[in-house]
Amino acid sequence: MLKLFFTLAFVLLPAGSVWAAPGLTALTVTPTANGGETYTVTIQILAMMTVLSLLPAALIMTTSFTRIIIVLSILRQALGTAQTPSNQILLGLALFLTFFIMAPIFETAYNNGVKPYLDEQMSSEVAFEKASEPFYDFMLNQTRESDLAMFAEISGRGKLDPNKRVPFSLLLPSFVTSELKTAFQIGFLIFIPFLIIDIVVASVLMSMGMMMLSPMIISLPFKLMLFVLIDGWSLIMGTLASSFYV
């Protein structure tokens, strides 16, 4: 977990003067003419606080978290179990599955960029580039070319040159768009079998004249039974994890 914090913090913070000093001065005390003292918080601390506030957004938008949490939310909706599992459980599942999927990327970024910088073996600019490279490769591999072309056209860059590196400012919105599209595609395939059960149960109730009885009450046990019999949680988790390595 400590490696994850250092890695995300280092990748988010722009390379430059903020990381120029090996240690960050928390407070500067300046004597005044009347014998008093003035306390000043350095710009490094302000930059570090900014990084900490951006860590949740980075975890959501630059990792596999977005796809996972959307699929799990659609699954709960398809089952019709209202708030079961709760939002806290879904967030926990998505978070730890994200750690599992992104573990090699975090490890590579830490070993290639963060650790050499902390050991004063590498300059801040080189370390920042080395640490961000695994995230860049991961996002690029999961991004559709059509989404990249769309944002390139919107930004006025025209057609992208395959021999040139895609700017990060262009890659990030393209990656998020691709993740949303992929998540809804997976969610659609998950929703179909449960929808069929709802339709069958509603048709049977209509044919029996039981129009006042909610089909959701009758179909819920059948959907739960189907999900348990096929070992649904293992299938969902395995499918989500493997979808990033295809």
Side-chain angles (χ1 to χ4, degrees), residues 94-117:
L95 186 62
F96 286 107
L97 187 57
T98 298
F99 290 158
F100 170 77
I101 294 171
M102 302 294 295
I105 298 168
F106 291 145
E107 189 75 20
T108 302
Y110 181 82
N111 292 333
N112 293 351
V114 181
K115 190 175 185 300
Y117 175 79

Side-chain angles (χ1 to χ4, degrees), residues 32-59:
T32 58
N34 57 3
E37 293 179 335
T38 301
Y39 300 90
T40 305
V41 178
T42 58
I43 190 65
Q44 289 95 332
I45 297 300
L46 295 178
M48 181 60 71
M49 295 304 297
T50 303
V51 168
L52 293 177
S53 65
L54 291 176
L55 279 177
L59 180 63

Side-chain angles (χ1 to χ4, degrees), residues 13-42:
L13 193 62
S17 59
V18 175
W19 289 94
L24 299 181
T25 303
L27 204 64
T28 300
V29 180
T30 305
T32 58
N34 57 3
E37 293 179 335
T38 301
Y39 300 90
T40 305
V41 178
T42 58

Side-chain angles (χ1 to χ4, degrees), residues 42-190:
T42 58
I43 190 65
Q44 289 95 332
I45 297 300
L46 295 178
M48 181 60 71
M49 295 304 297
T50 303
V51 168
L52 293 177
S53 65
L54 291 176
L55 279 177
L59 180 63
I60 293 174
M61 293 303 175
T62 62
T63 64
S64 57
F65 184 86
T66 301
R67 182 187 305 185
I68 296 171
I69 191 62
I70 291 176
V71 171
L72 293 179
S73 299
I74 293 177
L75 171 63
R76 184 175 65 180
Q77 183 71 24
L79 285 171
T81 54
Q83 294 299 315
T84 305
S86 64
N87 291 332
Q88 290 82 356
I89 293 176
L90 290 185
L91 288 172
L93 286 173
L95 186 62
F96 286 107
L97 187 57
T98 298
F99 290 158
F100 170 77
I101 294 171
M102 302 294 295
I105 298 168
F106 291 145
E107 189 75 20
T108 302
Y110 181 82
N111 292 333
N112 293 351
V114 181
K115 190 175 185 300
Y117 175 79
L118 296 177
D119 294 339
E120 300 183 9
Q121 300 174 355
M122 189 178 294
S123 65
S124 58
E125 291 81 3
V126 176
F128 177 79
E129 183 178 354
K130 293 290 185 180
S132 60
E133 191 66 31
F135 291 91
Y136 177 89
D137 293 338
F138 170 79
M139 295 169 64
L140 187 62
N141 290 334
Q142 302 299 325
T143 304
R144 292 177 173 84
E145 293 183 2
S146 59
D147 294 326
L148 280 173
M150 178 188 68
F151 281 99
E153 182 179 354
I154 293 175
S155 63
R157 299 177 185 270
K159 188 176 181 180
L160 292 175
D161 188 350
N163 298 322
K164 292 184 179 181
R165 182 184 176 92
V166 179
F168 192 83
S169 60
L170 181 62
L171 178 60
L172 182 57
S174 303
F175 169 74
V176 174
T177 303
S178 294
E179 285 296 283
L180 291 173
K181 189 181 299 183
T182 303
F184 277 94
Q185 288 176 345
I186 297 175
F188 172 77
L189 296 177
I190 294 174

